[in-house]
Amino acid sequence: MPQIPEKIHELTVGQLSARSGAAVSALHFYESKGLISSRRTSGNQRRYTRDALRRVAFVRAAQRVGIPLASIREALAQLPEERTPNREDWARLSEAWRTELDERIARLARLRDHLTDCIGCGCLSMETCALSNPDDVFGERLTGSRL
């Protein structure tokens, strides 16, 4: 892993990519979504402050557990300007995401438990399918086609 001398306070996109493990295109994408920021040199080259390393690590860790980029952006917006997330920030933000993740885990467990049945019968019955229409919730709401 390339080392960045302490005296360097700004990184090129290539240095940030090499150090963070994120592709240059991913860094440009993160910047377009407001997750990280850069300044432009007189030659119109991007320069990132060193705190971008931790922000990228934060974004990638949150993505790995399935947090949508919009939620990550909202979380980063709660931090003071130019401050990177620290251990306490991660603990607070991850606690806020716990309910969302628990719900997603429950949905995935239901999918896993009923997937074999659907593959076995192949019907995906709108009345009895545990995946497309769990507990016939659509039948309780309205009549006719909904999907």
Side-chain angles (χ1 to χ4, degrees):
M1 183 177 308
Q3 296 298 315
I4 302 168
E6 287 295 323
K7 64 184 176 187
I8 296 176
H9 297 289
E10 291 186 319
L11 308 170
T12 66
V13 70
Q15 289 171 321
L16 182 59
S17 173
R19 181 75 177 162
S20 69
V24 169
S25 59
L27 297 173
H28 291 169
F29 179 74
Y30 292 163
E31 189 171 355
S32 74
K33 297 299 180 187
L35 300 168
I36 60 174
S37 61
S38 67
R39 73 168 186 86
R40 296 294 184 136
T41 66
S42 58
N44 202 31
Q45 296 175 329
R46 290 178 167 95
R47 292 293 185 266
Y48 298 90
T49 57
R50 291 177 67 96
D51 69 310
L53 278 170
R54 186 167 290 168
R55 283 185 171 277
V56 170
F58 180 88
V59 170
R60 295 185 72 186
Q63 282 186 297
R64 275 193 294 277
V65 297
I67 304 300
L69 287 179
S71 296
I72 298 169
R73 184 179 49 248
E74 290 170 14
L76 288 171
Q78 294 175 17
L79 301 175
E81 190 67 30
E82 298 300 319
R83 181 155 110 26
T84 59
N86 58 31
R87 184 182 309 263
E88 292 78 22
D89 294 326
W90 179 254
R92 181 175 41 83
L93 295 171
S94 63
E95 182 62 33
W97 290 330
R98 181 176 291 279
T99 302
E100 179 184 336
L101 291 172
D102 287 342
E103 291 170 1
R104 186 174 301 144
I105 289 167
R107 283 193 309 271
L108 287 170
R110 258 193 324 274
L111 173 63
R112 179 201 60 217
D113 294 344
H114 295 288
L115 190 59
T116 304
D117 296 339
C118 284
I119 292 172
C121 82
C123 74
L124 291 177
S125 166
M126 290 304 297
E127 293 176 4
T128 61
C129 182
L131 298 177
S132 296
N133 188 15
D135 302 319
D136 194 23
V137 293
F138 294 127
E140 295 291 324
R141 293 185 197 151
L142 299 167
T143 59
S145 176
R146 267 142 334 276
L147 296 179

